[in-house]
Amino acid sequence: MNVFSYIIQLGASVMMPVIFTIIGLCIGMKFGKALKSGLFVGVGFVGLGIVTALLTDNFKDPLKAIESLFNLNLSVFDMGWPAAASVAYNTAVGALIIPICLGINFLMVITKTTRTVNIDLWNYWHFAFIGAVAYFVFDQSLAWGYFAAIICYVITLVMADLTAEKFQKFYNLPGISVPQPFCQSFTPFAIAIGWLLDKIPGFNKLNVDAEGLKKKFGVLGEPLVLGVIVGCIIGIVAKCNVKGVLSLGVTMGAVMELIPRITKLFIDGLMPISDRTKEVVDRKFKGKKVHIGMSPALVIGHPTALVCTLFLIPTYIITAVLLPGNEFLPLASLAGMFYLFPMMLPYTKGNVVKTYIVGFVTLIVGLWFVTNMAPDFTKAATAVYVQTQDKAAHVPDGFMAGSMDFASSLIGYAIYALTKYAKFFGAATLLAIAFVLMLINRKRIVADERASNATN
């Protein structure tokens, strides 16, 4: 624990460059290239702190004013994925999550319980985040933290395998799967709700030309402009003066524009490591069928994703205000709305109406997830801020911390709720689910290999 405490006190902006440089060297990268990759990641964490501080410093007072004026209870501040990632990587769980998960991935590949080799290293923060929350729920228990993270990883790898065929066919990306738990959490909703909607006579005829609508939105489809509009509306509702309204508009626009740009810093840092890992995988598993686990960022530009995001943003905000039992008002998370859709679209077949309905239902459920997890998210963020002074983890006074990004995920919330409220029974349930999923997947893989060998 003393070693972990020392590492954590360095902060993610220092700790992660060191870790990624070491990982790069271990997989055969030259020192200079590995160091550059690590430094890009460190600079990204510095940027996250700046953007999060920009959001919290400027919006905490207007949101308090809105609460007071309309007698609302929106006490969960949207910290966005920057805060979740900061909590994830600034804990003892996050410090070793990547090498541990890579080891588990290797074991699952050789035991034929998965075909996915997850080289989407940046999104390992999702596994670290649920592990970090469990770590603080159980009084800084590493055992519970790693248990939650590993269970999430195993379930996600199997889900990536089970959805790979449809994903590859829809996007024409052979050999690729998406082992990202936030996106995979929406697959069950897409299957179940899609099945119900298909029972409605004539529903499949209700579709919209996504490409045409995308062109019609023009500049309104830009995250920057959407952010300015949302920020100005908040300023008007909070009864700010003209300067205050415009300032909030530009600030929210800056947040919506800067978060994707900072994300690119992480991708620039991690892509060389991912590419080198792919080379190693191709060499080690030559002749065997494997899926390369990649970021869903590959496909977020689909026209249906853009159109549904534009329609969902206003309805999401209005629903958050009116929904009984919800205390979360989405702000920073709006920049991540595109990530709802990568695994939905192969099952809704790009149908705009169906995708919008599935997205809306999942967001409603997600609001309750975020609200319920907020006290423990806040506990984790506060502890991280005290130890590291990382501004991305600083929760504004009078608020709790929340984020649509993964906190509203079905997989993440199920692990959180089962471990917190059912403890050992919940842990046993999660182990059983993971074990059954691995057995089902192994049966599929073995059968496919036998069929392939018989053909050859």
Side-chain angles (χ1 to χ4, degrees):
M1 285 306 299
N2 288 336
V3 173
F4 278 124
S5 295
Y6 178 76
I7 293 173
I8 292 163
Q9 286 169 6
L10 295 175
S13 60
V14 175
M15 177 178 70
M16 298 317 293
V18 173
I19 291 174
F20 282 113
T21 301
I22 293 171
I23 290 173
L25 292 173
C26 289
I27 59 176
M29 292 175 67
K30 291 182 178 178
F31 176 76
K33 197 170 184 180
L35 177 63
K36 186 178 178 182
S37 290
L39 289 174
F40 267 125
V41 176
V43 171
F45 273 104
V46 173
L48 293 186
I50 294 170
V51 172
T52 307
L54 184 70
L55 185 75
T56 55
D57 291 346
N58 285 277
F59 281 87
K60 60 182 179 181
D61 291 336
L63 289 179
K64 278 292 181 187
I66 291 172
E67 271 196 296
S68 178
L69 284 168
F70 297 96
N71 196 28
L72 300 174
N73 184 23
L74 298 173
S75 58
V76 180
F77 193 90
D78 186 0
M79 308 282 287
W81 70 259
S86 178
V87 167
Y89 282 133
N90 275 306
T91 63
V93 177
L96 293 176
I97 195 68
I98 291 176
I100 286 175
C101 284
L102 285 174
I104 290 166
N105 199 164
F106 176 74
L107 288 173
M108 289 181 68
V109 170
I110 63 174
T111 56
K112 299 181 181 180
T113 50
T114 189
R115 275 178 165 164
T116 292
V117 178
N118 186 5
I119 64 170
D120 180 18
L121 298 180
W122 163 240
N123 280 314
Y124 276 54
W125 75 260
H126 289 261
F127 313 112
F129 173 74
I130 196 61
V133 173
Y135 171 74
F136 284 104
V137 165
F138 293 102
D139 297 322
Q140 301 188 28
S141 166
L142 276 174
W144 279 104
Y146 279 118
F147 171 79
I150 291 168
I151 285 291
C152 184
Y153 191 69
V154 170
I155 291 173
T156 303
L157 284 179
V158 176
M159 289 286 290
D161 269 17
L162 297 177
T163 58
E165 186 177 341
K166 273 189 172 291
F167 176 85
Q168 292 166 11
K169 185 176 179 182
F170 183 81
Y171 293 108
N172 193 25
L173 289 171
I176 303 297
S177 64
V178 177
Q180 201 244 43
F182 179 69
C183 290
Q184 288 292 351
S185 285
F186 301 113
T187 305
F189 287 102
I191 295 171
I193 298 171
W195 180 82
L196 287 172
L197 293 174
D198 286 340
K199 297 297 180 183
I200 301 173
F203 184 86
N204 278 335
K205 296 178 182 178
L206 293 174
N207 203 358
V208 180
D209 178 15
E211 191 65 54
L213 272 177
K214 179 183 174 182
K215 291 176 182 177
K216 287 180 182 179
F217 278 116
V219 72
L220 288 175
E222 297 292 331
L224 172 61
V225 177
L226 282 171
V228 170
I229 293 170
V230 171
C232 286
I233 290 171
I234 289 173
I236 292 168
V237 175
K239 297 187 177 180
C240 297
N241 56 29
V242 174
K243 179 184 175 182
V245 170
L246 296 177
S247 177
L248 288 176
V250 173
T251 300
M252 190 65 203
V255 170
M256 292 282 280
E257 185 69 20
L258 289 173
I259 285 179
R261 290 178 184 250
I262 291 170
T263 304
K264 188 176 182 300
L265 278 173
F266 289 106
I267 293 172
D268 288 344
L270 294 173
M271 276 309 294
I273 296 176
S274 294
D275 291 342
R276 177 60 184 164
T277 306
K278 186 177 184 300
E279 292 174 13
V280 174
V281 168
D282 289 341
R283 188 171 67 249
K284 295 291 184 183
F285 297 100
K286 191 174 182 179
K288 291 187 178 182
K289 183 178 179 181
V290 295
H291 304 307
I292 301 300
M294 295 290 286
S295 167
L298 286 172
V299 296
I300 61 171
H302 193 281
T304 300
L306 176 63
V307 169
C308 288
T309 296
L310 292 172
F311 284 132
L312 275 171
I313 283 177
T315 49
Y316 185 34
I317 295 172
I318 292 168
T319 303
V321 173
L322 301 177
L323 186 67
N326 174 57
E327 299 177 21
F328 173 71
L329 182 66
L331 288 174
S333 294
L334 298 176
M337 287 278 282
F338 297 102
Y339 288 92
L340 288 174
F341 305 106
M343 295 313 306
M344 278 190 201
L345 297 183
Y347 291 90
T348 62
K349 298 178 181 177
N351 183 308
V352 172
V353 179
K354 186 184 289 187
T355 303
Y356 172 82
I357 293 171
V358 174
F360 184 57
V361 173
T362 57
L363 286 174
I364 290 175
V365 175
L367 288 170
W368 286 317
F369 288 169
V370 176
T371 299
N372 186 251
M373 193 187 289
D376 289 311
F377 188 173
T378 306
K379 183 179 178 181
T382 303
V384 165
Y385 181 71
V386 169
Q387 283 189 300
T388 67
Q389 297 299 300
D390 188 334
K391 290 183 179 178
H394 182 235
V395 184
D397 293 340
F399 287 95
M400 291 186 290
S403 171
M404 179 192 77
D405 308 82
F406 200 53
S408 67
S409 141
L410 176 63
I411 296 174
Y413 181 77
I415 293 170
Y416 163 77
L418 281 169
T419 52
K420 178 176 180 176
Y421 299 116
K423 206 169 182 180
F424 294 112
F425 176 77
T429 302
L430 288 168
L431 279 171
I433 292 170
F435 185 69
V436 168
L437 284 173
M438 286 193 293
L439 286 180
I440 291 170
N441 204 31
R442 176 178 163 77
K443 186 176 180 181
R444 291 173 66 251
I445 292 170
V446 170
D448 185 59
E449 287 183 349
R450 285 176 180 167
S452 179
N453 292 334
T455 303
N456 294 332

